[in-house]
Amino acid sequence: MIKKVIQSVILLVFSAYWIITFLYCSPENYVRIKSDGILSKFESVFYQRWSFFAPPADFNFRLYFEYNDKDSLRLTVYEILKPIARQKQSAAPFNANEQFIDYIINSSVIEVNEALVNYLKVCKSEHPELSDQVNYTEAVKRFNENAVKLSFPGYTTLRNYFNIHYNTFLKEDSTLKRACYGRMILAKIELPRFENRDSLLVKGYAPKEMPVFQSSLIKL
Protein backbone atom coordinates (compact mmCIF):
# COMPACT_ATOMS: atom_id res chain seq x y z
CA MET A 1 0.00 0.00 0.00
CA ILE A 2 2.75 2.48 0.98
CA LYS A 3 4.70 1.44 -2.11
CA LYS A 4 1.72 2.30 -4.36
CA VAL A 5 1.28 5.66 -2.65
CA ILE A 6 4.99 6.47 -3.16
CA GLN A 7 4.79 5.40 -6.82
CA SER A 8 1.68 7.55 -7.33
CA VAL A 9 3.37 10.59 -5.75
CA ILE A 10 6.48 10.11 -7.90
CA LEU A 11 4.33 9.77 -11.03
CA LEU A 12 2.33 12.88 -10.08
CA VAL A 13 5.46 14.96 -9.45
CA PHE A 14 7.07 13.70 -12.66
CA SER A 15 3.95 14.48 -14.70
CA ALA A 16 3.52 17.91 -13.12
CA TYR A 17 7.17 18.77 -13.82
CA TRP A 18 6.91 17.94 -17.51
CA ILE A 19 3.54 19.63 -17.95
CA ILE A 20 4.90 22.85 -16.43
CA THR A 21 8.14 22.49 -18.42
CA PHE A 22 6.13 22.10 -21.62
CA LEU A 23 4.16 25.25 -20.77
CA TYR A 24 7.31 27.15 -19.72
CA CYS A 25 9.05 26.41 -23.04
CA SER A 26 6.02 27.11 -25.21
CA PRO A 27 5.54 30.35 -27.21
CA GLU A 28 3.40 33.14 -25.78
CA ASN A 29 -0.23 32.05 -25.52
CA TYR A 30 -3.28 32.62 -23.35
CA VAL A 31 -2.62 29.74 -20.91
CA ARG A 32 1.04 30.69 -20.51
CA ILE A 33 0.18 34.31 -19.71
CA LYS A 34 -2.47 33.26 -17.16
CA SER A 35 0.06 30.89 -15.53
CA ASP A 36 2.72 33.59 -15.15
CA GLY A 37 2.77 33.33 -11.34
CA ILE A 38 3.38 29.59 -11.35
CA LEU A 39 5.96 29.84 -14.13
CA SER A 40 7.88 32.57 -12.26
CA LYS A 41 8.27 30.27 -9.26
CA PHE A 42 9.17 27.37 -11.56
CA GLU A 43 11.80 29.52 -13.29
CA SER A 44 13.48 30.40 -9.99
CA VAL A 45 14.22 26.70 -9.39
CA PHE A 46 14.24 25.09 -12.85
CA TYR A 47 15.47 27.89 -15.14
CA GLN A 48 15.96 26.64 -18.73
CA ARG A 49 17.31 28.20 -21.91
CA TRP A 50 16.02 25.67 -24.41
CA SER A 51 12.62 25.46 -26.07
CA PHE A 52 10.35 22.85 -27.60
CA PHE A 53 9.34 25.28 -30.31
CA ALA A 54 10.98 27.62 -32.77
CA PRO A 55 10.34 31.28 -31.87
CA PRO A 56 7.29 32.74 -33.60
CA ALA A 57 7.93 34.68 -36.78
CA ASP A 58 8.20 38.46 -36.45
CA PHE A 59 7.25 39.32 -40.02
CA ASN A 60 5.99 38.12 -43.39
CA PHE A 61 7.45 39.10 -46.73
CA ARG A 62 5.63 41.13 -49.34
CA LEU A 63 6.87 41.20 -52.93
CA TYR A 64 5.65 43.98 -55.24
CA PHE A 65 6.06 44.36 -58.99
CA GLU A 66 5.93 48.00 -60.05
CA TYR A 67 5.38 49.09 -63.66
CA ASN A 68 6.63 52.45 -64.93
CA ASP A 69 6.39 54.53 -68.09
CA LYS A 70 9.35 55.79 -70.15
CA ASP A 71 9.92 58.59 -67.62
CA SER A 72 10.09 56.07 -64.75
CA LEU A 73 6.76 57.28 -63.34
CA ARG A 74 4.73 54.59 -61.61
CA LEU A 75 1.72 53.32 -63.54
CA THR A 76 0.62 50.58 -61.15
CA VAL A 77 1.94 48.09 -58.60
CA TYR A 78 0.95 44.48 -57.84
CA GLU A 79 1.56 42.37 -54.74
CA ILE A 80 2.78 38.94 -55.83
CA LEU A 81 3.00 36.49 -52.90
CA LYS A 82 -0.60 36.63 -51.67
CA PRO A 83 -2.12 35.75 -55.08
CA ILE A 84 0.29 32.81 -55.37
CA ALA A 85 -0.80 31.56 -51.92
CA ARG A 86 -4.49 31.94 -52.85
CA GLN A 87 -3.97 30.01 -56.11
CA LYS A 88 -2.30 27.21 -54.17
CA GLN A 89 -5.20 27.05 -51.70
CA SER A 90 -7.95 27.18 -54.32
CA ALA A 91 -6.35 24.40 -56.39
CA ALA A 92 -5.83 22.05 -53.43
CA PRO A 93 -5.42 19.10 -53.25
CA PHE A 94 -4.36 18.90 -56.92
CA ASN A 95 -2.01 21.87 -56.70
CA ALA A 96 1.44 20.46 -57.47
CA ASN A 97 2.13 23.19 -60.03
CA GLU A 98 0.98 25.96 -57.66
CA GLN A 99 3.07 24.51 -54.83
CA PHE A 100 6.11 24.47 -57.10
CA ILE A 101 5.65 28.15 -58.03
CA ASP A 102 5.05 29.08 -54.38
CA TYR A 103 8.24 27.27 -53.29
CA ILE A 104 10.42 28.73 -56.04
CA ILE A 105 9.29 32.35 -55.59
CA ASN A 106 9.34 32.33 -51.79
CA SER A 107 12.74 30.61 -51.72
CA SER A 108 14.08 33.28 -54.05
CA VAL A 109 12.68 36.05 -51.83
CA ILE A 110 14.40 34.53 -48.78
CA GLU A 111 17.65 34.16 -50.75
CA VAL A 112 17.59 37.83 -51.79
CA ASN A 113 16.89 38.92 -48.21
CA GLU A 114 19.77 36.82 -46.85
CA ALA A 115 22.13 38.20 -49.49
CA LEU A 116 21.17 41.76 -48.50
CA VAL A 117 21.85 40.95 -44.84
CA ASN A 118 25.33 39.74 -45.79
CA TYR A 119 26.00 42.85 -47.90
CA LEU A 120 24.92 45.02 -44.97
CA LYS A 121 27.34 43.21 -42.63
CA VAL A 122 30.19 43.91 -45.06
CA CYS A 123 29.26 47.59 -45.36
CA LYS A 124 29.04 47.97 -41.57
CA SER A 125 32.43 46.31 -41.10
CA GLU A 126 33.99 48.65 -43.68
CA HIS A 127 32.36 51.83 -42.37
CA PRO A 128 31.23 51.34 -38.74
CA GLU A 129 31.19 55.11 -38.28
CA LEU A 130 28.29 55.52 -40.74
CA SER A 131 24.64 55.20 -39.78
CA ASP A 132 22.68 52.00 -40.41
CA GLN A 133 20.59 53.78 -43.05
CA VAL A 134 23.63 54.95 -45.00
CA ASN A 135 25.21 51.50 -44.87
CA TYR A 136 21.93 49.88 -45.90
CA THR A 137 21.59 52.18 -48.89
CA GLU A 138 25.12 51.23 -49.94
CA ALA A 139 24.38 47.52 -49.41
CA VAL A 140 21.31 47.69 -51.70
CA LYS A 141 23.33 49.58 -54.31
CA ARG A 142 26.11 46.97 -54.31
CA PHE A 143 23.62 44.11 -54.40
CA ASN A 144 21.80 45.61 -57.40
CA GLU A 145 25.07 46.06 -59.27
CA ASN A 146 26.31 42.53 -58.60
CA ALA A 147 22.96 40.72 -58.86
CA VAL A 148 22.69 41.52 -62.57
CA LYS A 149 26.38 41.27 -63.38
CA LEU A 150 26.91 37.94 -61.57
CA SER A 151 23.41 36.52 -62.20
CA PHE A 152 22.52 35.72 -58.59
CA PRO A 153 20.10 32.72 -58.73
CA GLY A 154 17.39 34.12 -56.43
CA TYR A 155 17.43 37.54 -58.04
CA THR A 156 17.49 36.05 -61.55
CA THR A 157 14.49 33.85 -60.74
CA LEU A 158 12.46 36.82 -59.48
CA ARG A 159 13.47 38.89 -62.48
CA ASN A 160 12.36 36.12 -64.86
CA TYR A 161 9.06 35.80 -62.99
CA PHE A 162 8.63 39.57 -63.28
CA ASN A 163 8.62 39.25 -67.08
CA ILE A 164 6.39 36.15 -66.96
CA HIS A 165 3.91 37.99 -64.76
CA TYR A 166 3.77 40.96 -67.11
CA ASN A 167 3.46 38.92 -70.32
CA THR A 168 0.92 36.47 -68.86
CA PHE A 169 -1.40 38.70 -66.86
CA LEU A 170 -0.87 42.34 -67.72
CA LYS A 171 0.34 42.82 -71.28
CA GLU A 172 -3.20 43.41 -72.56
CA ASP A 173 -4.14 45.71 -69.68
CA SER A 174 -4.99 49.11 -71.17
CA THR A 175 -3.48 50.94 -68.20
CA LEU A 176 -0.10 49.36 -68.91
CA LYS A 177 0.27 50.10 -72.61
CA ARG A 178 2.73 52.84 -71.69
CA ALA A 179 4.78 50.55 -69.44
CA CYS A 180 8.43 50.46 -70.51
CA TYR A 181 10.18 49.58 -67.25
CA GLY A 182 9.48 47.78 -64.03
CA ARG A 183 10.89 47.39 -60.55
CA MET A 184 10.83 44.69 -57.88
CA ILE A 185 10.18 45.85 -54.32
CA LEU A 186 10.63 43.60 -51.28
CA ALA A 187 9.13 44.52 -47.91
CA LYS A 188 8.50 42.98 -44.50
CA ILE A 189 5.11 43.27 -42.85
CA GLU A 190 5.13 43.13 -39.07
CA LEU A 191 3.28 40.29 -37.32
CA PRO A 192 1.70 41.35 -34.01
CA ARG A 193 2.94 39.44 -30.96
CA PHE A 194 0.42 37.41 -28.98
CA GLU A 195 0.72 39.75 -25.98
CA ASN A 196 -0.28 42.65 -28.28
CA ARG A 197 -3.31 40.82 -29.66
CA ASP A 198 -5.70 43.51 -28.35
CA SER A 199 -4.33 45.92 -30.96
CA LEU A 200 -5.89 43.76 -33.66
CA LEU A 201 -9.33 44.75 -32.35
CA VAL A 202 -8.66 48.46 -32.79
CA LYS A 203 -10.57 49.86 -35.75
CA GLY A 204 -8.25 50.85 -38.56
CA TYR A 205 -5.31 48.82 -37.23
CA ALA A 206 -2.68 48.38 -39.94
CA PRO A 207 0.47 46.31 -39.41
CA LYS A 208 3.72 48.13 -39.95
CA GLU A 209 5.37 47.52 -43.31
CA MET A 210 9.12 48.04 -43.68
CA PRO A 211 10.89 48.32 -47.07
CA VAL A 212 13.77 45.88 -47.54
CA PHE A 213 14.88 46.12 -51.14
CA GLN A 214 14.15 47.98 -54.35
CA SER A 215 15.67 46.73 -57.59
CA SER A 216 17.10 48.83 -60.35
CA LEU A 217 14.73 49.53 -63.26
CA ILE A 218 14.05 46.47 -65.41
CA LYS A 219 13.36 46.98 -69.11
CA LEU A 220 10.19 45.19 -70.25
Side-chain angles (χ1 to χ4, degrees):
M1 180 69 176
I2 296 177
K3 184 178 179 181
K4 287 186 176 179
V5 171
I6 294 174
Q7 288 176 339
S8 297
V9 171
I10 291 173
L11 179 61
L12 181 62
V13 171
F14 181 81
S15 300
Y17 170 79
W18 281 106
I19 289 172
I20 297 174
T21 297
F22 184 86
L23 186 60
Y24 177 81
C25 296
S26 67
E28 292 294 338
N29 57 71
Y30 181 79
V31 177
R32 193 180 193 284
I33 292 173
K34 289 295 184 182
S35 306
D36 189 58
I38 297 173
L39 296 179
S40 296
K41 294 176 182 177
F42 178 84
E43 183 179 43
S44 65
V45 181
F46 301 107
Y47 175 73
Q48 300 169 29
R49 298 181 63 184
W50 56 282
S51 174
F52 290 125
F53 306 94
D58 294 320
F59 60 85
N60 278 333
F61 284 113
R62 289 287 183 266
L63 176 64
Y64 299 97
F65 286 171
E66 176 186 290
Y67 297 99
N68 303 272
D69 64 16
K70 62 182 179 62
D71 297 317
S72 301
L73 297 176
R74 175 187 285 188
L75 295 174
T76 189
V77 61
Y78 291 87
E79 204 287 315
I80 300 302
L81 299 182
K82 286 193 290 185
I84 290 176
R86 291 195 195 102
Q87 289 167 10
K88 186 174 73 170
Q89 291 170 357
S90 63
F94 307 106
N95 59 354
N97 185 59
E98 288 77 11
Q99 287 194 57
F100 178 74
I101 294 172
D102 179 69
Y103 173 78
I104 291 295
I105 301 304
N106 276 285
S107 296
S108 298
V109 164
I110 292 171
E111 186 178 331
V112 167
N113 181 67
E114 290 177 348
L116 285 166
V117 169
N118 291 331
Y119 270 79
L120 179 58
K121 288 179 180 177
V122 171
C123 290
K124 282 185 174 181
S125 66
E126 292 177 354
H127 298 286
E129 75 283 359
L130 298 179
S131 68
D132 287 347
Q133 184 58 49
V134 171
N135 275 321
Y136 199 82
T137 301
E138 177 62 22
V140 171
K141 178 184 173 184
R142 292 186 188 183
F143 176 82
N144 270 322
E145 291 172 352
N146 291 326
V148 177
K149 184 168 58 178
L150 302 178
S151 299
F152 290 170
Y155 178 87
T156 301
T157 298
L158 293 180
R159 184 167 177 169
N160 289 339
Y161 190 72
F162 181 91
N163 287 309
I164 292 171
H165 181 263
Y166 175 73
N167 289 319
T168 303
F169 302 107
L170 308 174
K171 198 171 184 180
E172 303 305 320
D173 190 327
S174 59
T175 63
L176 294 178
K177 286 184 178 180
R178 293 185 289 118
C180 300
Y181 300 96
R183 199 192 314 264
M184 298 184 296
I185 301 170
L186 184 61
K188 292 178 180 178
I189 186 165
E190 184 180 51
L191 295 177
R193 308 292 291 183
F194 181 82
E195 58 265 32
N196 299 326
R197 62 196 179 282
D198 291 342
S199 63
L200 296 174
L201 304 177
V202 178
K203 187 176 181 180
Y205 169 80
K208 183 180 179 182
E209 187 168 308
M210 299 156 284
V212 173
F213 166 70
Q214 182 169 282
S215 74
S216 302
L217 286 175
I218 301 169
K219 187 172 177 57
L220 295 172

